[in-house]
Amino acid sequence: MDSPIHDDAWMPTFYVGQHERRRLSPITGDILNQAHECGYDMLTTPITTPYFHSRVLVLLSESLNGMTDQDQGHTVSIPIIPTLTTSDTHLTPENITSQLLAFVSPWIDLCSPDPIVSDISRQVLYLEIAYAAFCGIEYVFIPGPRLYHEDAVTHGTPQYARAIQEALSIGSHLSIHIMLPMIDNLEYPYHDEIGNLALAAYTRGEYIDDPNELKPQKPDIFGTWDAWNTIRTVSLSISNELPNLSVQSRWYSEPVKLVSMSPKTFEYNKVHKPVLSKPHQSFISRLMRIKNPPWFLLCDVGPIPGSNGSEVRAPVADHSANLNMVAELSNTPTPAEAAAYPTGKAKTTDDPAPFLSYLRYFQRRQPPRNVVEKYGSGYQDYLQVPLQPLTDNLESMTYEVFEKDPVKYDHYEQAIQRALRDWKQQGKSTSSPDGKVVVAVAGAGRGPLVERALRASEAENVEIELWAVEKNPNAYVLLQRHNSRSPWNNRVTIVQSDMRSWKGPYHSSLSSSSVEASHLATSTASLGASLSSQNGSAHTHHPIDILVSELLGSFADNELSPECLDGILHLLNPVHGISIPRSYTAYFTPIAAPKLHADISSRMPWDPTAPDTPAVVWLHAIDYLSLAAKPLEVPKTDSNGEINANKDKGKSKQSSATPPAPSSVLSPTPAPTPLILPAWSFHHTPLLEPTPYPNTNTHNKRHTRLSFRTRNRGVCHGLGGYFEAVLYPGIELSTNPDTMEQKSPGMISWFPIFFPLRTPLYVPDYALVVVNMWRQTDGRKVWYEWMVEVFGYNLMVGGEKRLVRLGGGELGSSIKGGCLM
């Protein structure tokens, strides 16, 4: 099978719009066409005009001025804003309206502590939303809540959220988005906006928030996210200094629809061209790799070229640009060079749209997708129900998907090859009467492991007796066809059977002297005798030397690998027998995954079990809630291929939040390492004494209790599950983000598993997330149960520090959709 290759022709689509905060003229069809010719994909428009703004201010001033001293502190009548007139708006229902992004008036203050101001702001919002919906606008953007009023903290986010909820009911078909900065802005961005209702001049003194609760000296880096978490679709504004990776990762996991950038976002290189810093480039590149990447909005970067009658044109929409411009843009400055140029206003250049030109240039410079990204295209954050391999016969297409991963099968071939090499070098006796090493592939599917076993045998020049066991009658037909052709050439014995009921390899009955003359050890011979056919069969069964299986699921044991191997391990040579894989360990960590939670919630009306069903999913737009204090060292296996899986259990480690990102787009600053802890392990070694298939499955039950320390607040939507497997000492597979690049880079066979929470849990700063998880069985099926609790430290009187339970989720249980045995 050919390995996937990079798709060098791949390029993400950058949808770039132009926004002017003080756009006074209406958008016409000619202006929109001109913008498209210049390379812009969309334009913004205010819903109302400055005339409407002045009319509202007059109404508010009259109301405030008409109040007497006796009215202070009493209920007063709220002025009613009349309906819109033709002077109040330039919008009208026409063909181009649906191609515009509409902006609600930025001067309203839905968070105002003054009820008159907040009520008038809501009236403006509702009037504008209703009229935008009437005109056919599809996307409306609303300024985010104000977290500060002058020097005091405001607590108006809940009333802001309520206003947004009401707006959604007014414009039911509109897509409403909230404009937010990535982190708090302690400055007053509205002081230069005359008539902004957030100014102290419009707030009555008795409604000013508690002056003792002053604005903090430093911004709360998660304050904006906290406000968003109260509201819940967002649009980000990027400043010239990006916050740390923890904040970036939090927004990466949220449904960001639009990223706005002003001239202050950019730096200027040696030839005075605007460019983005390396951290900005990294953040945008990561955003463009999510399933539904955001749009971009260039704010206040100058008029549309040619809109004033000039014939000058910027690079057109096919992204063509002259070579000199590309060369100039590539000269990214050093920090010293960047400091030599102002970061507020671009100098005059020959390019009439330098910011747009740079974004188009940056679009072409995006790195190609790697193998995992190509394979997983379309599967990002897409929930899939795990397979039922024991009860369902897989289709050929499903097998084909698994077989597209060369990394997994290369590792399996290396494991078989090394096992045969060690067998030969150590002079081990074999279980076959003719001296061949007996290799059995349990669950052969369409035969990829069979082919790898044959190749390993040829590479090591070790003869093998190869058996392929497959329960799927349809795959059995294909295996027979493969066996009759090259390169198998009838070298494989194919058995159509459930591996748990298979009696094992066999050979024609031999005399006792023949058995003594074979290379079988005494214990092996006795096992072979015990496996002999009981009903006068002409065959004598003998043990397996090397047992190969690929029964692992996304959580290692979730597709019943332990139960399946329980039924065949008694056939393994008790002295020298080898199981590939030798062992595997399940891992998990708490994550924030708002997109997955929204998807699961939308399924509940027709699938009530959705929040209790672990789902296989390529976790992409997520945020790890717990991080290691320092990069974790990849554990090394000992000579037996064993690791101490529980050595990190319960350790207190610093945490933050960083989602996975392609290595090609990571920033120069190394991303923090997520804290992903081992839950339990299963080991498969030869049985010293042959035992029948167990009557119960209680020995495969498991329970773990793990603690994860967090540093930054967040919301836990569930658990991300992974696994590591030791195929043979020194050869391992891993889906664990901490170790995958070291153990099996580029492996695409398994996506992680997601254990959802029915109700998300809020996690405050410096909390402890405690997870209990069980692997349960009743002898007919296997299922998982999980519970998440949040604890915090409370400083008691006298200085005693006590751990207090802050909240806990319901017990999740997949018993209704358990994996049938």
Side-chain angles (χ1 to χ4, degrees):
M1 180 178 62
D2 295 334
S3 300
I5 60 174
H6 288 305
D7 183 5
D8 292 329
W10 177 82
M11 182 173 65
T13 301
F14 280 37
Y15 289 100
V16 183
Q18 191 253 16
H19 172 60
E20 296 178 23
R21 287 188 301 166
R22 296 179 176 85
R23 198 188 299 276
L24 302 178
S25 302
I27 301 294
T28 64
D30 291 339
I31 293 178
L32 185 63
N33 291 334
Q34 179 61 35
H36 289 165
E37 291 181 10
C38 293
Y40 287 111
D41 298 297
M42 52 203 161
L43 293 179
T44 67
T45 179
I47 299 175
T48 55
T49 63
Y51 176 81
F52 176 70
H53 185 191
S54 63
R55 193 157 65 91
V56 173
L57 291 179
V58 169
L59 189 66
L60 176 60
S61 298
E62 290 176 350
S63 175
L64 294 177
N65 293 335
M67 295 180 59
T68 64
D69 293 338
Q70 288 75 19
D71 294 328
Q72 301 296 330
H74 294 80
T75 302
V76 296
S77 59
I78 305 295
I80 304 300
I81 301 177
T83 57
L84 298 179
T85 67
T86 55
S87 300
D88 293 328
T89 179
H90 293 310
L91 277 181
T92 185
E94 52 184 339
N95 292 335
I96 68 167
T97 304
S98 61
Q99 304 176 50
L100 302 177
L101 307 181
F103 273 65
V104 168
S105 295
W107 43 266
I108 64 175
D109 185 11
L110 298 170
C111 292
S112 176
D114 191 320
I116 292 181
V117 175
S118 61
D119 191 278
I120 285 182
S121 297
R122 285 194 296 273
Q123 291 185 56
V124 172
L125 173 66
Y126 300 157
L127 280 173
E128 294 187 348
I129 290 291
Y131 188 71
F134 168 76
C135 291
I137 290 288
E138 295 183 12
Y139 300 97
V140 173
F141 294 83
I142 303 175
R146 304 189 189 278
L147 304 183
Y148 308 107
H149 279 91
E150 297 296 336
D151 291 324
V153 177
T154 184
H155 299 288
T157 304
Q159 69 185 37
Y160 179 97
R162 179 184 174 278
I164 298 300
Q165 185 177 22
E166 181 68 21
L168 287 170
S169 64
I170 294 173
S172 57
H173 73 276
L174 290 176
S175 180
I176 294 180
H177 304 273
I178 312 301
M179 297 290 293
L180 290 169
M182 290 188 72
I183 59 173
D184 291 353
N185 189 348
L186 295 181
E187 302 300 324
Y188 302 135
Y190 45 85
H191 270 181
D192 61 343
E193 300 176 6
I194 299 175
N196 196 302
L197 298 188
L199 295 174
Y202 297 102
T203 303
R204 289 171 289 169
E206 66 268 28
Y207 291 104
I208 296 295
D209 286 343
D210 186 356
N212 295 321
E213 192 171 2
L214 297 179
K215 180 179 66 178
Q217 296 299 316
K218 293 183 179 180
D220 178 0
I221 62 174
F222 282 93
T224 303
W225 175 84
D226 239 347
W228 157 243
N229 188 48
T230 306
I231 307 165
R232 284 282 150 187
T233 322
V234 64
S235 301
L236 283 184
S237 175
I238 299 182
S239 63
N240 61 328
E241 291 187 8
L242 279 180
N244 62 36
L245 288 174
S246 301
V247 180
Q248 293 181 40
S249 300
R250 181 61 52 80
W251 288 116
Y252 180 82
S253 69
E254 297 290 352
V256 176
K257 180 63 178 178
L258 183 144
V259 174
S260 66
M261 294 179 282
S262 71
K264 292 183 179 180
T265 308
F266 294 80
E267 298 175 347
Y268 295 89
N269 61 14
K270 292 182 293 186
V271 292
H272 314 307
K273 297 289 186 180
V275 294
L276 290 172
S277 68
K278 293 295 185 183
H280 283 80
Q281 294 179 35
S282 174
F283 179 64
I284 290 176
S285 293
R286 290 176 63 193
L287 287 176
M288 295 311 295
R289 277 170 152 73
I290 62 178
K291 188 174 183 180
N292 296 305
W295 301 342
F296 296 97
L297 199 61
L298 293 173
C299 302
D300 299 323
V301 294
I304 300 168
S307 61
N308 57 359
S310 170
E311 294 300 323
V312 178
R313 293 292 186 270
V316 294
D318 64 358
H319 320 309
S320 62
N322 62 62
L323 296 179
N324 291 333
M325 181 180 297
V326 173
E328 292 172 348
L329 290 172
S330 62
N331 293 323
T332 304
T334 64
E337 291 169 339
Y341 296 101
T343 59
K345 185 176 180 181
K347 296 186 177 182
T348 302
T349 67
D350 295 332
D351 184 358
F355 299 97
L356 174 61
S357 298
Y358 175 78
L359 278 188
R360 292 306 185 192
Y361 161 78
F362 183 60
Q363 176 183 2
R364 296 191 300 275
R365 289 288 299 272
Q366 292 301 292
R369 294 178 297 180
N370 59 33
V371 174
V372 177
E373 289 173 321
K374 282 192 59 181
Y375 176 82
S377 178
Y379 289 96
Q380 294 179 359
D381 301 310
Y382 176 74
L383 300 167
Q384 303 175 74
V385 178
L387 297 174
Q388 293 271 8
L390 292 184
T391 56
D392 299 335
N393 289 322
L394 304 182
E395 297 179 353
S396 180
M397 185 177 297
T398 305
Y399 287 119
E400 184 178 358
V401 171
F402 298 150
E403 294 168 10
K404 288 182 178 179
D405 185 356
V407 176
K408 175 180 71 174
Y409 292 108
D410 286 346
H411 277 58
Y412 264 99
E413 183 176 343
Q414 293 171 22
I416 299 171
Q417 192 170 334
R418 188 172 298 183
L420 292 175
R421 183 188 309 155
D422 291 347
W423 199 288
K424 181 179 179 180
Q425 291 176 351
Q426 296 170 16
K428 297 179 182 179
S429 59
T430 66
S431 300
S432 174
D434 55 8
K436 296 180 180 179
V437 178
V438 181
V439 179
V441 177
R446 302 199 314 176
L449 286 181
V450 176
E451 186 169 333
R452 295 294 181 139
L454 291 172
R455 287 166 55 172
S457 171
E458 295 169 355
E460 292 299 324
N461 195 25
V462 175
E463 287 191 294
I464 62 174
E465 176 187 315
L466 186 55
W467 294 75
V469 183
E470 175 55 49
K471 74 173 184 63
N472 187 339
N474 305 310
Y476 173 67
V477 176
L478 184 60
L479 290 172
Q480 290 177 308
R481 181 167 286 114
H482 285 330
N483 199 28
S484 64
R485 300 172 179 174
S486 177
W488 294 21
N489 296 324
N490 292 310
R491 291 182 290 169
V492 185
T493 304
I494 302 172
V495 180
Q496 199 271 307
S497 171
D498 188 317
M499 69 181 74
R500 295 171 295 178
S501 59
W502 183 43
K503 294 182 179 180
Y506 58 84
H507 56 273
S508 299
S509 297
L510 301 173
S511 64
S512 59
S513 59
S514 299
V515 174
E516 293 172 0
S518 71
H519 295 284
L520 291 174
T522 304
S523 58
T524 306
S526 63
L527 178 60
S530 70
L531 296 175
S532 297
S533 178
Q534 301 297 320
N535 298 318
S537 171
H539 299 303
T540 301
H541 293 274
H542 56 261
I544 301 168
D545 293 325
I546 300 177
L547 175 64
V548 184
S549 62
E550 53 171 332
L551 307 170
L552 298 173
S554 295
F555 201 49
D557 53 78
N558 61 298
E559 293 185 9
L560 305 191
S561 177
E563 285 72 19
C564 291
L565 293 180
D566 274 349
I568 196 173
L569 276 177
H570 67 282
L571 302 178
L572 197 59
N573 186 315
V575 178
H576 305 302
I578 297 172
S579 172
I580 301 177
R582 184 190 188 98
S583 64
Y584 35 86
T585 303
Y587 289 76
F588 63 78
T589 188
I591 62 174
K595 293 183 180 179
L596 296 181
H597 176 72
D599 190 355
I600 291 172
S601 299
S602 68
R603 301 182 182 203
M604 290 182 63
W606 51 270
D607 182 10
T609 64
D612 291 321
T613 303
V616 174
V617 56
W618 184 20
L619 298 175
H620 201 75
I622 66 166
D623 187 14
Y624 295 111
L625 297 178
S626 180
L627 293 187
K630 59 182 179 179
L632 300 178
E633 294 183 2
V634 179
K636 303 294 184 181
T637 58
D638 58 22
S639 58
N640 294 320
E642 305 298 337
I643 62 172
N644 184 5
N646 297 315
K647 67 179 182 179
D648 290 324
K649 274 193 178 183
K651 284 190 178 180
S652 300
K653 300 200 176 185
Q654 181 183 357
S655 77
S656 183
T658 298
S663 58
S664 57
V665 297
L666 286 177
S667 64
T669 303
T673 304
L675 183 62
I676 303 175
L677 297 180
W680 50 65
S681 299
F682 287 90
H683 301 265
H684 301 297
T685 55
L687 302 176
L688 297 180
E689 296 182 3
T691 58
Y693 185 74
N695 293 325
T696 64
N697 196 36
T698 55
H699 62 289
N700 284 326
K701 286 186 175 183
R702 294 290 189 274
H703 170 247
T704 189
R705 184 180 187 272
L706 298 178
S707 298
F708 300 85
R709 291 197 178 277
T710 68
R711 181 179 182 182
N712 299 315
R713 77 203 72 161
V715 173
C716 181
H717 296 95
L719 307 171
Y722 311 90
F723 77 87
E724 295 180 8
V726 178
L727 297 182
Y728 192 75
I731 302 175
E732 302 179 46
L733 301 176
S734 174
T735 65
N736 182 344
D738 291 345
T739 60
M740 182 175 180
E741 287 302 311
Q742 291 80 17
K743 295 186 176 182
S744 51
M747 187 174 67
I748 56 179
S749 284
W750 293 277
F751 290 151
I753 196 168
F754 178 61
F755 295 90
L757 298 185
R758 184 177 290 271
T759 303
L761 283 177
Y762 183 80
V763 181
D765 293 329
Y766 300 101
L768 188 69
V769 178
V770 178
V771 181
N772 278 277
M773 180 173 281
W774 296 263
R775 186 181 195 267
Q776 301 281 51
T777 180
D778 59 4
R780 296 184 300 107
K781 60 184 176 182
V782 172
W783 70 93
Y784 297 94
E785 295 177 354
W786 58 97
M787 176 180 285
V788 180
E789 299 173 285
V790 179
F791 293 83
Y793 287 99
N794 184 20
L795 190 61
M796 308 296 290
V797 177
E800 180 184 358
K801 194 176 182 181
R802 182 172 298 174
L803 198 62
V804 179
R805 187 178 186 272
L806 304 178
E810 304 173 47
L811 177 69
S813 176
S814 62
I815 186 171
K816 293 183 179 180
C819 200
L820 298 174
M821 297 172 57

